[in-house]
Amino acid sequence: MSHQLALTTYIAAFVSELVSSGVEDVVISPGSRSTPIAMVMAEHPGLRIHIHVDERSAAFFALGIAKAAQKPTVLLCTSGTAAANYYPAITEAKISRVPLVVLTADRPHELRDVGAPQTIDQIHLYGQHVKWFVEMAPPEHSEELIRYARTVCARAVATAAQVPAGPVHINFPLREPLIPVLENDQVFIQAERTSGYVKINLPTISLKEAEFNHYAELIQTAQKGIIVCGQIEDGDFSSAVTAFAEKLQFPILADPLSQLRSGEHSGKWIIDTYDAFLRFDEIKQRLKPDLIIRFGSMPVSKALSFFLKENRSAQQIVVDGGVGWRDPSMLSTEMVYCQETIFCQETGRRLSVTSVSQYAKEWQQLNAHTKQALAAINETKELSEGKLFYQLAELLPEDAALFVGNSMPIRDLDSFFHYNQKRIKVMGNRGANGIDGTISTALGAAVISQPLYLIVGDLTFFHDLNGLIAAKMQQLNITILLINNNGGGIFSFLPQSNHPKHFELLFGTPLDLDFSQAVQMYGGEFTSITDWEHFRTAVMQDREKKGLRVLQIVTDRNENVKEHRELWNVVSQEINEWKNLD
Amino acid sequence: MSHQLALTTYIAAFVSELVSSGVEDVVISPGSRSTPIAMVMAEHPGLRIHIHVDERSAAFFALGIAKAAQKPTVLLCTSGTAAANYYPAITEAKISRVPLVVLTADRPHELRDVGAPQTIDQIHLYGQHVKWFVEMAPPEHSEELIRYARTVCARAVATAAQVPAGPVHINFPLREPLIPVLENDQVFIQAERTSGYVKINLPTISLKEAEFNHYAELIQTAQKGIIVCGQIEDGDFSSAVTAFAEKLQFPILADPLSQLRSGEHSGKWIIDTYDAFLRFDEIKQRLKPDLIIRFGSMPVSKALSFFLKENRSAQQIVVDGGVGWRDPSMLSTEMVYCQETIFCQETGRRLSVTSVSQYAKEWQQLNAHTKQALAAINETKELSEGKLFYQLAELLPEDAALFVGNSMPIRDLDSFFHYNQKRIKVMGNRGANGIDGTISTALGAAVISQPLYLIVGDLTFFHDLNGLIAAKMQQLNITILLINNNGGGIFSFLPQSNHPKHFELLFGTPLDLDFSQAVQMYGGEFTSITDWEHFRTAVMQDREKKGLRVLQIVTDRNENVKEHRELWNVVSQEINEWKNLD
């Protein structure tokens, strides 16, 4: 059998198995060495092909699809630096537990490390940042090797999906000629399973009966319990944890990425303004817990993080269905490896009903008063970052997906996006919290979730400007709320802002870019918002529009710091009044 | 001593040593964890600070500076995915032997792998792609640790510069508070050397007397010898190798990156059209060598590569001052580790003068006839890629640096940029031959070399569009010749072009972008060339202009293939006539 026929059958077996394993989306960057895999993939009716020239954006785009679809997405690129461009998205996928199957084409063994063009060492290219690495055997057409290609593929997809989900890397050494034989339409039939290929069953991460009993007892004894929820993706978690909290009468401190700030579940125990009121020592003294139950990743709030650290004598149960170690302050007294929804359900049904404590009531009251104080932001006449986030809950349509940038946006969302009963899914790249790849990740998510809104600052927008091309080439719909304060807004909240000498050079970094030109180049519509009425109309109108829309809100970094500080003062006064009433 | 004072002194010692070791340029991307290093660097009068928000572009920018300056350049970024964005440039630097010192800030040990924000595993982040990795000790102010910071720094710079030059990676675990104490102006004085710090002497890679004698004898016996020169950076090499060739009466097949196609050295033995005439079997039969001496990396010409493979029975001496293994076809009979200029000089002076052979004359004649045939390209009326490259030698000013993109531009340069006596330095990223980071590398080179011209295709231009911001923020002068054939031109020369079904989707990948908008956003001037007269005027005018200038030449991918094929026919005819005369 010819080289090309062997190449074709081997790769067709791999590609068939991708589809059998449930993969639907493949993000391909053009290149020469990857030609046979790309051509075979394009031939398979079961795959949706997304072309992306810039591999860095391509990888984040795949990350976005996988994040929104909650299943493995495939990446393919040629040999050399192309593959190195995947690295940022891969490190993010690893930590944020997003399943990716990364396929890289490579020179065959005899052309490695000998000065051949477009050749870098791709063995373990991503080091510790992938869950699994496989250097494939060079293509051969023997029953053994076809079976091997299928088995590696099935295992790669399963490994990516298995908790904690994450990226895997498969490297393909390919010899010339690189053109597959696609003339007959038997290519996938020849590579089809006969029988006996392996189906992989993934485990459920749970506890023994006795352990659930133990935790039910432990939790029931608490006088002052709280639940803390960080980023969590499981769609069933919201109702499970709110039922659990109802039985315990525990407040739930709900991070914006917990999916608890929006939805049809009960809002009775949702605390969504702790980032504001946990800034005050007296309040923190009143609210000292004796038991903390934590689900999901670490919440974004620094005030909450300090509060938890200051209560290191409390029992702290960290429940992690991803079997990791999400405890940067070393506060856990129990590290529990159990899928979070199962934990709530199983422990919950072992609990007897409790009465509401004064402690729990105080959390509710403080949350209500703080929320009232924060509403002051809505009176702001000028365009402001805080008010923008405050208005989102009202303006976003039902079933919207909201992708939020790192640095300031996620923090402002934490402060100003409060509990509502819309079905709004909140997403972000909160594994490594980079400002890179945000546009691409959001556009990837937009393949799956519609309507999709992205909210980012100007540095984040700039960092992944290339990502916008996906909106154009793949005709995706997205509305981007671009907060343009001409530089790195978060640094104005950090200690270096007190050292003006090199501040603008090293941290402020104003780019002075008129982004309307880039947006137009990508076929998008750019609108610079003039006032709040304009903003409201633009967001509402956008609901009807297709394609790429960018709404720019120009703000001022110094004014923004001032506004935030003034608001914490208003909150402080409100809380003082509440205490005096008390 | 306080934490912050210890932090300051430790970092100031490291930064002082950078300057003592000869570093002048530092490329910094803004971030929080890297704050103390950035602030101390900004304070040092001996460093030139370049700010770049996008770390991928930043790394290529540093690569460009290091490539042009031929000395180590420093990169600094914060923790997390920021550091992963350096990877493409690092893999390129490793293979193309460019010295980079990569500094990454990191969380301290207690915040790693525990769900802390913006934290990825940075230990050996770049795997095999750096020459040296050091995880620094957390900052301390003891004499021992200050001495350690200085020693690691000196060693890092030396390791980067030592042949083969390449990237090194130093990872800094830093605890909060991150603000250094810069109020008194003693910071560098306190960190100053007292005495006894180490000065590092790098070795000269050379041979013993007896070995030079051996090679002189070996070479002198050849009847049909040729010299092949790939990319080489040493400024003294051109005159050394041309003197060597003159003594031997050997033709020099000179790659465009050999620095032999331009310059004041003799052009007598320079063969610069072999890529055209080595396509013909009969010619290849006539020109079979018995000895090949190779310097530098593998030349870009595929025709030459086949020719070398077909002459595997010839003696082949590969001289590599970088102690690598640049021999993808496994043809070397002698792998010689000796600095190339030294080899030419030392072996050369042991040679007795030779008379010109008929064999050598044929190379010269073929080269002259082929060059005459290729001149036909200059008659093309329409805008064409070939003619563009043909005109460069005439249009570029004296002392220009020409940075050339990968894929088609470097191949067209090989075909159409012929020997001239201008001092034009030709540069490219020919380690891993990626299309990424090209704008940034060229802009980095423009910091050192002026005037600088970059010639790229549209996919390469798009891939690093973000890189243009350096021209704006750092007010650099660059003229970019943008060949816009709306997609991946090289694929039309590859076998997949015969398979139209998925060709445009997977390989053609037309972007349909009006780049004038992006160029204007970055404050550049964009000119779309209408005809050759316009081109000539625009290039000539640009000599006077400052800032970012983009001259777009729109071409057609199919026409381009046709033009190249027709031209090889002209060459074929010309060669046939020469044979008949013969």
Side-chain angles (χ1 to χ4, degrees):
Chain A
M1 180 174 280
S2 80
H3 162 80
Q4 277 165 282
L5 216 52
L7 175 78
T8 310
T9 316
Y10 183 82
I11 288 173
F14 191 95
V15 170
S16 291
E17 191 64 30
L18 280 179
V19 178
S20 305
S21 305
V23 168
E24 288 180 285
D25 291 284
V26 178
V27 183
I28 299 180
S29 297
S32 170
R33 191 58 49 171
S34 50
T35 294
I37 309 179
M39 286 178 74
V40 169
M41 283 176 164
E43 203 65 23
H44 202 298
L47 291 174
R48 192 153 47 164
I49 308 284
H50 311 268
I51 299 292
H52 222 312
V53 168
D54 181 339
E55 293 86 2
R56 179 174 68 174
S57 297
F60 278 107
F61 189 78
L63 180 81
I65 296 176
K67 196 182 265 278
Q70 290 187 52
K71 60 183 210 171
T73 300
V74 172
L75 275 164
L76 171 67
C77 72
T78 189
S79 64
T81 54
N85 277 278
Y86 283 169
Y87 209 16
I90 285 173
T91 57
E92 171 62 25
K94 176 80 185 305
I95 303 177
S96 58
R97 303 177 176 178
V98 179
L100 290 179
V101 178
V102 179
L103 311 180
T104 54
D106 197 356
R107 304 261 149 176
H109 303 70
E110 65 276 16
L111 290 177
R112 295 175 181 176
D113 197 17
V114 290
Q118 219 168 315
T119 311
I120 68 172
D121 181 356
Q122 295 180 195
I123 304 293
H124 288 291
L125 183 64
Y126 309 115
Q128 302 295 315
H129 301 270
V130 287
K131 292 178 69 182
W132 195 43
F133 168 75
V134 180
E135 159 77 354
M136 293 295 284
E140 268 186 50
H141 186 272
S142 66
E143 202 197 314
E144 199 72 10
L145 268 277
I146 297 300
R147 215 178 162 90
Y148 159 79
R150 279 204 175 267
T151 307
V152 171
C153 179
R155 204 175 149 192
V157 177
T159 304
Q162 150 94 35
V163 294
V168 299
H169 175 208
I170 317 287
N171 193 53
F172 281 87
L174 297 171
R175 284 195 186 91
E176 294 183 16
L178 296 166
I179 305 299
V181 183
L182 298 174
E183 277 63 33
N184 73 44
D185 50 6
Q186 302 291 300
V187 51
F188 294 111
I189 293 166
Q190 281 165 356
E192 210 36 77
R193 298 165 184 244
T194 46
S195 70
Y197 287 111
V198 65
K199 185 173 166 298
I200 303 169
N201 283 299
L202 300 181
T204 299
I205 306 296
S206 187
L207 300 177
K208 298 196 185 76
E209 288 279 316
E211 289 166 319
F212 285 123
N213 291 337
H214 162 71
Y215 285 114
E217 269 175 56
L218 182 78
I219 293 168
Q220 193 95 55
T221 62
Q223 301 298 311
K224 298 178 169 184
I226 63 170
I227 296 168
V228 175
C229 292
Q231 181 168 21
I232 214 151
E233 302 292 347
D234 177 15
D236 297 326
F237 179 71
S238 301
S239 55
V241 75
T242 44
F244 182 61
E246 176 61 26
K247 209 145 181 195
L248 284 164
Q249 309 283 325
F250 277 9
I252 305 172
L253 283 64
D255 185 76
L257 291 158
S258 66
Q259 311 308 337
L260 290 168
R261 298 242 186 134
S262 293
E264 288 162 331
H265 55 270
S266 157
K268 181 174 162 198
W269 289 110
I270 304 292
I271 307 295
D272 46 10
T273 64
Y274 52 85
D275 181 62
F277 65 76
L278 288 179
R279 288 166 194 251
F280 306 108
D281 281 334
E282 211 183 326
I283 297 302
K284 289 199 279 185
Q285 289 304 320
R286 288 176 84 121
L287 295 180
K288 277 186 163 302
D290 61 2
L291 176 75
I292 299 156
I293 309 172
R294 266 215 309 114
F295 300 98
S297 58
M298 275 304 292
V300 71
S301 166
K302 208 157 192 168
L304 173 55
S305 173
F306 285 134
F307 177 70
L308 294 176
K309 269 197 225 179
E310 289 157 14
N311 287 286
R312 54 180 69 208
S313 60
Q315 284 260 27
Q316 186 166 145
I317 303 173
V318 176
V319 182
D320 186 356
V323 196
W325 197 272
R326 288 165 154 180
D327 186 21
S329 307
M330 295 167 282
L331 301 173
S332 63
T333 53
E334 304 261 353
M335 182 61 76
V336 181
Y337 292 143
C338 179
Q339 203 272 337
E340 296 80 0
T341 301
I342 295 176
F343 184 88
C344 291
Q345 289 166 341
E346 287 298 318
T347 313
R349 68 185 182 81
R350 288 167 170 82
L351 297 169
S352 41
V353 174
T354 333
S355 60
V356 183
S357 65
Q358 180 55 30
Y359 176 78
K361 275 186 201 151
E362 290 209 350
W363 277 95
Q364 287 176 318
Q365 288 168 10
L366 271 163
N367 197 54
H369 283 272
T370 304
K371 209 178 277 195
Q372 201 175 312
L374 288 173
I377 191 84
N378 217 16
E379 306 306 316
T380 311
K381 295 281 176 292
E382 298 74 33
L383 292 178
S384 94
E385 303 183 17
K387 181 168 174 177
L388 169 65
F389 286 88
Y390 189 84
Q391 298 219 327
L392 285 180
E394 187 195 336
L395 297 183
L396 292 184
E398 197 61 75
D399 290 316
L402 176 63
F403 201 100
V404 59
N406 286 318
S407 227
M408 282 310 287
I410 183 67
R411 289 177 172 81
D412 277 329
L413 196 76
D414 193 14
S415 299
F416 301 113
F417 183 74
H418 301 148
Y419 172 76
N420 60 80
Q421 291 211 306
K422 282 182 178 164
R423 292 178 305 271
I424 297 173
K425 165 108 177 158
V426 183
M427 286 183 273
N429 279 341
R430 292 303 289 178
N433 303 359
I435 65 165
D436 47 347
T438 307
I439 290 175
S440 296
T441 316
L443 279 167
V447 171
I448 307 294
S449 296
Q450 279 296 327
L452 192 131
Y453 293 77
L454 166 64
I455 186 158
V456 281
D458 55 296
L459 289 192
T460 300
F461 188 73
F462 164 75
H463 209 294
D464 191 24
L465 212 46
N466 266 15
L468 287 177
I469 201 166
K472 174 176 179 291
M473 288 183 76
Q474 299 173 45
Q475 296 170 306
L476 297 170
N477 304 320
I478 189 169
T479 301
I480 301 180
L481 307 178
L482 166 61
I483 300 169
N484 192 344
N485 56 25
N486 200 22
I490 199 167
F491 295 109
S492 303
F493 290 87
L494 296 181
Q496 49 261 60
S497 61
N498 300 323
H499 301 262
K501 189 169 172 196
H502 305 295
F503 184 80
E504 278 297 291
L505 172 73
L506 296 175
F507 305 105
T509 59
L511 303 182
D512 296 312
L513 295 179
D514 173 3
F515 289 115
S516 71
Q517 291 168 302
V519 172
Q520 278 154 22
M521 182 174 76
Y522 293 114
E525 186 185 294
F526 185 92
T527 308
S528 204
I529 298 297
T530 51
D531 57 38
W532 289 113
E533 191 46 43
H534 186 200
F535 177 65
R536 172 175 288 266
T537 323
V539 176
M540 295 298 205
Q541 274 177 355
D542 268 339
R543 295 191 184 186
E544 313 302 319
K545 288 187 178 171
K546 296 285 176 194
L548 164 66
R549 317 271 148 198
V550 178
L551 307 181
Q552 173 178 262
I553 300 95
V554 174
T555 61
D556 181 279
R557 282 185 264 134
N558 293 328
E559 285 302 314
N560 187 42
V561 174
K562 230 175 88 191
E563 180 183 82
H564 280 73
R565 298 223 165 109
E566 281 168 8
L567 207 57
W568 307 141
N569 283 336
V570 176
V571 172
S572 170
Q573 283 162 26
E574 177 75 27
I575 287 175
N576 279 331
E577 280 170 34
W578 168 75
K579 277 190 308 190
N580 296 340
L581 279 178
D582 191 41
Chain B
M1 180 175 279
S2 81
H3 162 82
Q4 277 165 283
L5 216 52
L7 174 78
T8 310
T9 316
Y10 183 82
I11 288 173
F14 191 95
V15 170
S16 290
E17 191 65 29
L18 280 179
V19 178
S20 305
S21 306
V23 168
E24 288 180 284
D25 291 284
V26 177
V27 183
I28 299 179
S29 297
S32 170
R33 190 60 46 173
S34 50
T35 294
I37 308 178
M39 287 178 72
V40 169
M41 282 175 165
E43 203 66 22
H44 201 297
L47 291 174
R48 188 150 52 161
I49 307 284
H50 310 269
I51 299 293
H52 222 313
V53 168
D54 180 340
E55 293 86 2
R56 179 174 68 173
S57 297
F60 278 108
F61 188 80
L63 180 82
I65 296 176
K67 196 182 264 279
Q70 289 187 53
K71 62 183 209 171
T73 300
V74 172
L75 275 163
L76 171 66
C77 72
T78 188
S79 64
T81 54
N85 276 277
Y86 284 168
Y87 208 15
I90 285 173
T91 56
E92 171 62 25
K94 178 79 184 308
I95 304 177
S96 59
R97 303 177 175 178
V98 178
L100 290 179
V101 178
V102 180
L103 310 180
T104 54
D106 197 355
R107 305 261 150 177
H109 303 69
E110 66 276 16
L111 290 178
R112 295 177 182 176
D113 197 16
V114 290
Q118 220 169 316
T119 312
I120 68 172
D121 181 357
Q122 294 179 193
I123 304 294
H124 287 291
L125 182 63
Y126 309 115
Q128 303 295 314
H129 301 270
V130 287
K131 292 178 67 182
W132 195 43
F133 168 76
V134 180
E135 159 77 354
M136 292 296 284
E140 269 186 51
H141 186 272
S142 66
E143 201 196 315
E144 200 73 9
L145 269 275
I146 296 301
R147 214 178 163 90
Y148 158 80
R150 279 203 175 267
T151 307
V152 170
C153 179
R155 205 175 148 192
V157 177
T159 304
Q162 150 95 34
V163 294
V168 300
H169 175 207
I170 316 288
N171 192 54
F172 282 86
L174 298 170
R175 285 196 187 91
E176 294 182 16
L178 296 166
I179 306 298
V181 184
L182 298 173
E183 277 64 33
N184 72 44
D185 52 4
Q186 301 290 301
V187 49
F188 294 110
I189 294 165
Q190 280 163 357
E192 211 35 77
R193 297 165 184 246
T194 47
S195 69
Y197 287 111
V198 65
K199 185 172 166 300
I200 303 170
N201 283 299
L202 299 182
T204 298
I205 306 297
S206 187
L207 300 177
K208 298 195 185 76
E209 289 279 316
E211 289 165 320
F212 286 123
N213 292 337
H214 161 72
Y215 286 114
E217 270 174 56
L218 182 78
I219 292 168
Q220 193 97 52
T221 62
Q223 301 297 311
K224 299 177 169 186
I226 62 171
I227 296 168
V228 175
C229 292
Q231 181 168 20
I232 214 152
E233 303 292 347
D234 176 15
D236 297 327
F237 179 71
S238 301
S239 54
V241 75
T242 43
F244 182 61
E246 175 62 28
K247 208 145 181 195
L248 284 164
Q249 309 283 324
F250 278 8
I252 305 172
L253 283 63
D255 185 76
L257 291 158
S258 66
Q259 311 308 339
L260 290 168
R261 297 242 185 135
S262 294
E264 288 162 329
H265 55 270
S266 158
K268 179 173 164 198
W269 289 110
I270 303 292
I271 307 294
D272 46 10
T273 64
Y274 53 85
D275 182 62
F277 65 75
L278 288 180
R279 289 164 194 252
F280 306 108
D281 280 335
E282 211 183 327
I283 298 301
K284 288 199 280 186
Q285 288 305 321
R286 287 177 86 122
L287 295 180
K288 276 186 162 305
D290 61 2
L291 176 75
I292 300 156
I293 310 171
R294 267 214 310 113
F295 300 98
S297 58
M298 275 304 291
V300 72
S301 166
K302 208 155 192 170
L304 173 55
S305 175
F306 284 133
F307 177 70
L308 294 177
K309 270 197 225 180
E310 288 156 13
N311 287 286
R312 53 181 69 209
S313 60
Q315 283 260 28
Q316 186 167 145
I317 302 173
V318 175
V319 182
D320 186 356
V323 196
W325 197 272
R326 289 166 154 178
D327 186 21
S329 307
M330 296 166 281
L331 301 173
S332 63
T333 52
E334 304 261 352
M335 182 63 76
V336 181
Y337 292 143
C338 179
Q339 204 271 338
E340 295 82 359
T341 301
I342 295 175
F343 184 89
C344 291
Q345 289 165 340
E346 288 299 317
T347 312
R349 68 185 180 81
R350 287 167 171 81
L351 297 169
S352 40
V353 175
T354 332
S355 60
V356 184
S357 65
Q358 180 56 29
Y359 177 77
K361 276 186 201 154
E362 289 209 351
W363 278 97
Q364 286 176 319
Q365 288 168 10
L366 272 163
N367 197 54
H369 283 273
T370 305
K371 209 177 279 197
Q372 200 173 314
L374 289 173
I377 191 83
N378 217 16
E379 305 307 315
T380 310
K381 295 279 175 293
E382 297 73 35
L383 291 178
S384 94
E385 303 184 18
K387 181 169 176 178
L388 170 65
F389 285 88
Y390 189 84
Q391 298 219 326
L392 285 179
E394 187 195 335
L395 297 183
L396 292 184
E398 197 61 72
D399 289 316
L402 175 63
F403 201 99
V404 59
N406 286 319
S407 229
M408 282 309 288
I410 182 67
R411 289 178 173 81
D412 277 329
L413 196 76
D414 194 13
S415 299
F416 301 112
F417 183 75
H418 302 148
Y419 172 76
N420 60 80
Q421 291 210 307
K422 283 182 177 166
R423 291 177 306 270
I424 296 173
K425 164 110 176 155
V426 183
M427 286 183 272
N429 279 340
R430 292 303 289 178
N433 303 359
I435 65 165
D436 47 347
T438 307
I439 291 175
S440 296
T441 315
L443 280 166
V447 170
I448 307 294
S449 295
Q450 278 296 329
L452 191 130
Y453 292 77
L454 166 64
I455 186 157
V456 280
D458 55 296
L459 289 192
T460 301
F461 188 73
F462 164 74
H463 209 294
D464 191 24
L465 212 45
N466 266 15
L468 287 177
I469 201 166
K472 175 176 178 292
M473 289 184 76
Q474 298 174 47
Q475 296 171 306
L476 297 170
N477 305 320
I478 188 168
T479 301
I480 300 179
L481 307 179
L482 165 60
I483 300 169
N484 192 345
N485 55 25
N486 200 22
I490 198 167
F491 295 109
S492 302
F493 291 87
L494 297 181
Q496 48 262 61
S497 61
N498 301 323
H499 300 263
K501 189 168 169 195
H502 305 295
F503 183 80
E504 278 298 289
L505 171 74
L506 296 175
F507 305 105
T509 59
L511 303 182
D512 296 312
L513 295 179
D514 173 3
F515 289 115
S516 70
Q517 291 167 303
V519 172
Q520 278 154 23
M521 182 174 76
Y522 293 114
E525 185 184 296
F526 184 92
T527 308
S528 203
I529 298 298
T530 51
D531 56 37
W532 289 113
E533 191 47 43
H534 185 199
F535 177 66
R536 171 174 288 266
T537 324
V539 176
M540 295 299 206
Q541 274 177 355
D542 267 338
R543 296 191 184 185
E544 312 302 319
K545 288 188 177 171
K546 296 284 176 194
L548 164 66
R549 316 273 147 197
V550 177
L551 307 181
Q552 172 178 263
I553 300 94
V554 174
T555 62
D556 180 278
R557 282 186 264 135
N558 293 327
E559 284 302 313
N560 188 42
V561 174
K562 228 175 89 189
E563 179 183 83
H564 280 73
R565 296 223 166 109
E566 283 168 7
L567 207 58
W568 307 142
N569 282 336
V570 176
V571 171
S572 168
Q573 284 163 24
E574 176 76 29
I575 288 174
N576 279 329
E577 280 171 34
W578 168 75
K579 277 189 310 188
N580 296 339
L581 279 178
D582 192 42

